[in-house]
Amino acid sequence: MQSYRKTALVAAALIASLALAGCVQSGAQAPAITTSSSRTGSATPVPTVSAVPEYHADGSADENKAYFDLVNNRFFAANPSALGRPIIDNLVAAGFTKSDMQVTPDKTSIGGGVDSILFGVKMGDECLLGQHSGSGYSSAVAPALTSGGPCLIGLTRSIDW
C-alpha cells in the first residue's frame, strides 16, 4: 500500500510539473524540477530550481558550456538563418571575447550558401565549439588544436569588425 502511495505522489508531481511547463513565457527558460524521497520517510516531492547558467570570464570551456548553449539556443530560436557576423556579435554581447573567436565563411568559394556555420571560442587550452545548420544547433568542448593555437581547422573568416 505504501509503495502505491509513493508511486501516486511521484506521478502527481510529474503531471503537475508537465502542466506547469506550459505556463512559462515564450523565450524564458523553465526551471528544472526534480523530486526526491527519503528511503526512510514518505515520498514528499521537493522541488529544486536549477540555476540559470552565467558567464565566467576566467572559467574553463567546460564551466561556460551551459551558458554558451543557452546564449546560442536563444539566439537561433529568434534568428534561425543567422550567418557568421550576427552569431559572433551575439556572443560578444553575451560577454565572450571577440579576439578569442573564429567563424567559418558565410559563402562557398564560388559564392553559394553554406550548409552550416562553425564557430569557436578559445578559453585557455580548450575551445567551445558551435555549429548551426538547417538541422539545428550543436556544440562541444574540445582541446585547442595546438598550445596557443586555434579552435577550427581550415578556412575561417576574418573577424575584423
Side-chain angles (χ1 to χ4, degrees):
M1 181 70 170
Q2 189 172 2
S3 174
Y4 172 78
R5 192 177 287 239
K6 281 184 180 181
T7 303
L9 284 172
V10 170
L14 179 61
I15 291 169
S17 67
L18 290 173
L20 290 174
C23 298
V24 176
Q25 230 180 1
S26 177
Q29 182 167 339
I33 298 178
T34 58
T35 60
S36 64
S37 64
S38 168
R39 293 195 185 269
T40 59
S42 63
T44 304
V46 179
T48 57
V49 178
S50 298
V52 176
E54 294 179 355
Y55 177 65
H56 301 284
D58 295 329
S60 69
D62 279 325
E63 292 169 329
N64 282 293
K65 186 176 182 302
Y67 180 71
F68 183 74
D69 288 339
L70 175 69
V71 167
N72 288 315
N73 279 315
R74 284 182 177 171
F75 179 73
F76 293 128
N79 306 283
S81 59
L83 297 175
R85 183 174 181 158
I87 293 169
I88 297 302
D89 289 346
N90 182 60
L91 289 169
V92 170
F96 293 96
T97 305
K98 187 187 287 189
S99 62
D100 294 334
M101 296 184 200
Q102 288 180 281
V103 64
T104 57
D106 296 337
K107 300 278 184 193
T108 66
S109 61
I110 59 170
V114 295
D115 294 331
S116 66
I117 303 262
L118 297 153
F119 49 98
V121 180
K122 186 146 192 276
M123 302 194 86
D125 290 334
E126 294 181 310
C127 297
L128 286 165
L129 302 172
Q131 179 176 355
H132 178 64
S133 69
S135 300
Y137 167 75
S138 60
S139 69
V141 172
L145 297 173
T146 60
S147 180
C151 293
L152 301 177
I153 296 175
L155 181 64
T156 58
R157 178 179 174 185
S158 178
I159 301 175
D160 56 5
W161 61 90

